[in-house]
Amino acid sequence: MDERARIAILRRLHSACSPGVDVGIGDDAAVLRPADIRPLQPRLVWTIDEQVEGTHFERGLVSWAEIGWRSFMAAASDIAAMGAQPWCALCALALPAEVDDASFEEILQGQRDAASAVGAPVVGGNLARGPVLSLATTLLGACAKAVERRGAVAGDGLWMAGRVGLAAAGLRALERGKREDPLLAEALAMWRRPRALVQEGKAMAGIAHAAIDVSDGLACDAGHLGDASSVQIVIDARALAEDEGLARAAQALGEEAMHLALYGGEDYALVAASEAPLSGFRRIGELRKGEGVMLRTPAGERRIDAVGFDHFRAP
């Protein structure tokens, strides 16, 4: 199938309209009408995320549709972390020769399903030949006032929506060929089809002082929030140990559940700093004067490394 035919598939699968979109796929550029959404949401929120074969996924471990879904949800989670509503997206795909027409359409179907789930249709993008499969998603959202990483203060509670550690457990299960173990089914689903917590993000807007999504690991991303706000993060190990599903998956893998929870990535949970409770969140610690990340256990507190996935750091 040539480029024109593939663009036609893009237009067919991403034909949904969104408020404020005049022109979508098929022209030289999308045409947006932000005045339609901005009276109540005057700020635009813009992000980009790229999923690259060999860095973010291996084709043998994930389906074509799951590649499309995961690439879109990674960008949508950034919008959720700002307390914004996703609006519309641009997607650029670099396709190696071995991605045939059927595989290409499956990728687009995964993209479309994710876009529909968060209410943000794909309105344009780019197709190119490349040495490896790569999907770059630029997502535009809107909000009344964004929740930034900076803004947390000593005395705030540390709150989390979603779960951490299961996606990393799912990836380890795939890498070890444990695709059929019922104890790992939940973990496999969390890695294959993560969900951006858009509604939880919108619920915290106007209440939370600061927030971040967990893409590179809880210790790492909570550390980013602490650095941006010049506060120390204290994580309560007992709050993380309440996840029985993670405990079962860790046992099936012979892994330590706490290590997965702190250092596993791609869960797309939301972590927020707030004085007041947040709907859909549970408290997992607090913030205080200082720097770095501390872990509180029954034996006391200890400083932990605020590290996680890093493109430019050796494992």
Side-chain angles (χ1 to χ4, degrees):
M1 191 179 295
D2 62 17
E3 183 175 349
R4 181 175 296 182
R6 288 190 166 185
I7 291 173
I9 292 177
L10 276 163
R11 187 185 298 116
R12 172 170 58 83
L13 289 178
H14 291 301
S15 60
C17 294
S18 180
V21 178
D22 280 347
V23 179
I25 293 172
D27 220 307
D28 288 324
V31 179
L32 308 181
R33 197 172 57 251
D36 283 10
I37 66 165
R38 291 186 66 180
L40 296 178
Q41 298 174 315
R43 289 172 174 81
L44 296 179
V45 181
W46 206 347
T47 190
I48 184 168
D49 192 275
E50 186 169 16
Q51 297 276 307
V52 180
E53 180 184 359
T55 299
H56 300 92
F57 64 89
E58 298 292 343
R59 269 189 261 167
L61 301 181
V62 64
S63 73
W64 297 112
E66 289 161 355
I67 291 170
W69 172 281
R70 285 170 46 80
S71 67
F72 199 95
M73 281 296 174
S77 185
D78 288 336
I79 298 292
M82 305 297 287
Q85 171 63 49
W87 177 24
C88 55
L90 301 175
C91 293
L93 290 83
L95 305 170
E98 58 267 30
V99 177
D100 60 22
D101 297 339
S103 303
F104 172 68
E105 190 159 350
E106 286 182 39
I107 292 170
L108 298 187
Q109 288 171 343
Q111 261 186 350
R112 179 198 59 190
D113 291 345
S116 177
V118 301
V122 176
V123 298
N126 188 64
L127 289 178
R129 178 75 72 199
V132 297
L133 179 58
S134 172
L135 300 89
T137 305
T138 300
L139 196 56
L140 194 63
C143 64
K145 187 177 187 298
V147 185
E148 302 177 35
R149 296 182 183 184
R150 61 181 182 177
V153 296
D156 280 345
L158 187 68
W159 304 82
M160 184 173 75
R163 303 163 73 182
V164 289
L166 275 171
L171 177 58
R172 284 164 170 74
L174 289 169
E175 290 172 337
R176 299 174 191 178
K178 294 177 173 286
R179 297 169 184 257
E180 307 300 329
D181 190 330
L183 293 176
L184 295 167
E186 188 177 32
L188 288 165
M190 289 287 285
W191 190 81
R192 287 168 166 161
R193 293 248 174 184
R195 297 188 71 89
L197 302 181
V198 173
Q199 296 307 316
E200 291 85 346
K202 290 164 62 179
M204 75 177 176
I207 304 172
H209 295 155
I212 192 169
D213 75 320
V214 180
S215 56
D216 297 326
L218 176 60
C220 177
D221 290 319
H224 289 322
L225 188 151
D227 290 345
S229 296
S230 299
V231 293
Q232 185 177 77
I233 302 291
V234 182
I235 298 173
D236 190 338
R238 290 171 297 184
L240 300 183
E242 294 172 358
D243 192 328
E244 296 179 358
L246 176 60
R248 287 192 297 270
Q251 184 176 15
L253 291 166
E255 298 268 354
E256 184 183 342
M258 188 59 59
H259 189 273
L260 291 169
L262 290 171
Y263 298 110
E266 299 185 297
D267 295 289
Y268 304 116
L270 296 181
V271 171
S274 176
E275 184 179 6
L278 301 169
S279 177
F281 288 69
R282 59 191 177 96
R283 185 165 177 146
I284 62 165
E286 66 262 6
L287 289 73
R288 65 190 182 198
K289 293 180 180 179
E291 48 83 27
V293 180
M294 305 293 291
L295 183 67
R296 178 184 297 135
T297 71
E301 288 186 6
R302 60 183 174 89
R303 187 177 296 272
I304 61 174
D305 293 330
V307 296
F309 179 79
D310 187 326
H311 286 279
F312 306 107
R313 180 174 176 172

